[in-house]
Amino acid sequence: MSTLAYDPLDVEFLDDPYPTYAWLREHDPVHYRPRDHRAPGFWALSRFEHIWAAVRNPEVFSSAGGLTFFPDEIAQLGLPPNLVMLDPPRHTRLRGLIGRGFTPRQVTRLEESVRRFARTRLDEIAALATDGEQVDLHQDYSATVPTFMLAELFGVPEEDRTRFGPWVQQVTALQDQTLNGGGLDDKPDGIGAVAELLGYFDEVIKARRAAPLTDSDDLISALVEAEIDGERLSDWDILGFCFVVTAGGSDTTAGLISNAVMLLSDAPDQRALVAEDPGLISAGLMEFLRLESSVQGLARTTTRDVEIDGVTIPAGEKVMMLYAAGNRDPREFGPDADRLDLRRTFTRHLSFSSGPHFCIGNHLAKLQARIALEELLAAHPGITVDAAAGTRHHSAFVRAWLSLPVAELG
């Protein structure tokens, strides 16, 4: 087999990274990518077992240096470190406080409103198709669900939602550009959106502290009231978490929805199983994520020299945890690891990471995707997409779409 170059900033690689991931797993599982004009040098782990062990060992693989192979990516946005860029014990304490407000119950209370929204969007999509318009699954449906869910979660009043939606889009686009090494000089709208969104959340936090809404179930109210042993979250703790949920939970969840439909379009046998048993949608979410990990990988920084598979990674080095490569490792998932199998059983998974930084919003992502797919496949059980005509969201870290045309609405 010839060498396949791992270049996370190359468009052709990002269109289909999986052959390269497979080559890395077999031939160079502890890979060093040297510095070039686009990115500093860094390491990459591609085997499931190596990644699993590393993310569960924050004493050696620290999150405090950032989650990309670029330096100071969060500082570029004008944000100090937040929950995702902290290590224990501070991370443990802060996560415990946030967890008191951001619970599965806090999320599942929104199920019916999200379901109503999905049905409304599907009615609008059907009308577009009837009028002969091209339907774009990602733009017209998948990407709209997370924005609505976030507005509901934060209790954004109807009169503010015309501002909130564009803020989410601009903040997500700015974060994506920054995480992929882009500068900020040519994104004044995104920078302004960050300031406006944080300013809006700051006003809500202060208002909730001054006059708590006793009958409110919104997330900010829950976080303001969260307490452990007399300690409460600061305004900045809450602000940082609201930003993380907004910026990190939009395109990743939209990508999960669109990728699931794409995978089913390419696997008629699995589509038939879903038609026979719609309950497989919920059970299959982790299989969709395994094959198309919304977060392809994130970095850690070594705190000391560490040896993996006979290779020594020096202290102070950035190491990419290639979740998407590990999730297709046949050592963990068997010889058919590249195949969609909605009845596959497994006990470990990397799409939400593991250990201290296991994604705190995983239940939010799964709830949205489940509802969106249940409603979509109930209304249009034969829907297929034209992935070849779609436009990928080219990112070293997120596997999603900008556009994904519907081939047959079904």
Side-chain angles (χ1 to χ4, degrees):
M1 179 186 291
S2 61
T3 301
L4 295 175
Y6 168 56
D7 185 351
L9 299 177
D10 178 72
V11 171
E12 291 187 9
F13 164 77
L14 293 172
D15 280 337
D16 184 12
Y18 300 110
T20 300
Y21 290 158
W23 190 91
L24 288 175
R25 283 195 307 264
E26 297 307 313
H27 302 281
D28 194 7
V30 187
H31 172 74
Y32 182 72
R33 185 182 184 278
R35 178 187 181 91
D36 64 18
H37 66 285
R38 295 168 302 161
F42 65 93
W43 298 78
L45 304 182
S46 53
R47 289 185 182 172
F48 185 97
E49 192 61 50
H50 296 159
I51 300 168
W52 182 265
V55 296
R56 297 168 69 86
N57 187 3
E59 293 82 7
V60 177
F61 294 92
S62 169
S63 298
L67 301 181
T68 79
F69 42 74
F70 295 102
D72 303 324
E73 71 269 12
I74 297 296
Q76 287 193 56
L77 291 173
L79 301 170
N82 49 53
L83 181 68
V84 298
M85 294 180 65
L86 294 173
D87 292 324
R90 177 56 185 159
H91 172 271
T92 305
R93 189 74 175 175
L94 183 59
R95 185 177 174 117
L97 278 163
I98 288 173
R100 292 294 177 94
F102 193 59
T103 61
R105 179 176 175 273
Q106 180 73 27
V107 173
T108 54
R109 69 178 176 80
L110 301 173
E111 177 163 353
E112 287 308 310
S113 62
V114 175
R115 198 174 291 280
R116 286 194 299 271
F117 173 81
R119 289 173 179 170
T120 299
R121 288 299 303 150
L122 289 169
D123 288 343
E124 294 167 352
I125 286 170
L128 283 176
T130 300
D131 291 342
E133 299 286 336
Q134 172 66 61
V135 176
D136 189 307
L137 176 72
H138 194 75
Q139 292 184 7
D140 295 332
Y141 187 64
S142 303
T144 68
V145 174
T147 300
F148 174 82
M149 178 70 159
L150 288 168
E152 290 286 291
L153 187 69
F154 291 125
V156 177
E158 287 294 333
E159 61 269 21
D160 290 337
R161 296 197 179 193
T162 55
R163 293 188 294 160
F164 185 76
W167 282 342
V168 173
Q169 295 171 6
Q170 291 168 6
V171 166
T172 301
L174 179 66
Q175 177 185 247
D176 289 341
Q177 176 189 334
T178 305
L179 294 185
N180 284 283
L184 301 180
D185 294 342
D186 60 342
K187 286 288 184 180
D189 291 343
I191 297 171
V194 171
E196 291 172 6
L197 181 65
L198 293 181
Y200 179 83
F201 283 144
D202 186 54
E203 290 179 5
V204 174
I205 292 167
K206 287 180 168 54
R208 296 291 190 275
R209 289 204 190 279
L213 301 178
T214 55
D215 60 343
S216 177
D217 289 327
D218 70 278
L219 176 61
I220 293 178
S221 291
L223 293 176
V224 166
E225 294 299 316
E227 179 181 340
I228 296 178
D229 297 333
E231 181 181 359
R232 292 195 171 191
L233 294 163
S234 69
D235 287 6
W236 182 248
D237 291 333
I238 299 173
L239 201 61
F241 182 65
C242 289
F243 179 83
V244 166
V245 171
T246 302
S250 181
D251 55 352
T252 52
T253 303
L256 167 56
I257 297 166
S258 292
N259 284 330
V261 179
M262 179 201 69
L263 289 167
L264 289 173
S265 296
D266 292 339
D269 62 321
Q270 299 300 299
R271 171 63 64 83
L273 290 178
V274 170
E276 294 173 6
D277 180 9
L280 282 176
I281 295 172
S282 179
L285 288 177
M286 297 305 287
E287 176 72 351
F288 293 135
L289 275 172
R290 187 188 67 79
L291 273 178
E292 289 283 356
S293 303
S294 292
V295 179
Q296 291 280 286
L298 293 173
R300 302 289 192 270
T301 303
T302 51
T303 60
R304 60 170 174 80
D305 292 0
V306 58
E307 183 178 318
I308 300 176
D309 201 43
V311 178
T312 298
I313 302 176
E317 294 282 291
K318 285 289 187 87
V319 184
M320 274 290 285
M321 309 292 165
L322 296 177
Y323 302 142
N327 274 339
R328 291 189 179 213
D329 190 342
R331 296 165 186 80
E332 184 71 18
F333 299 103
D336 66 342
D338 284 324
R339 184 177 70 87
L340 179 68
D341 180 0
L342 295 179
R343 290 178 171 163
R344 186 188 304 274
T345 59
F346 45 84
T347 58
R348 304 192 298 179
H349 199 286
L350 287 167
S351 288
F352 292 120
S353 191
S354 184
H357 282 281
F358 179 74
C359 178
I360 196 171
N362 72 90
H363 47 282
L364 178 65
K366 289 187 287 189
L367 177 74
Q368 294 174 80
R370 175 176 61 79
I371 294 171
L373 291 169
E374 286 174 349
E375 294 299 327
L376 175 66
L377 294 176
H380 304 288
I383 186 172
T384 58
V385 292
D386 186 355
T391 303
R392 276 281 179 193
H393 167 61
H394 289 130
S395 167
F397 307 98
V398 176
R399 181 81 168 163
W401 296 88
L402 297 177
S403 173
L404 185 59
V406 169
E408 296 288 340
L409 194 55

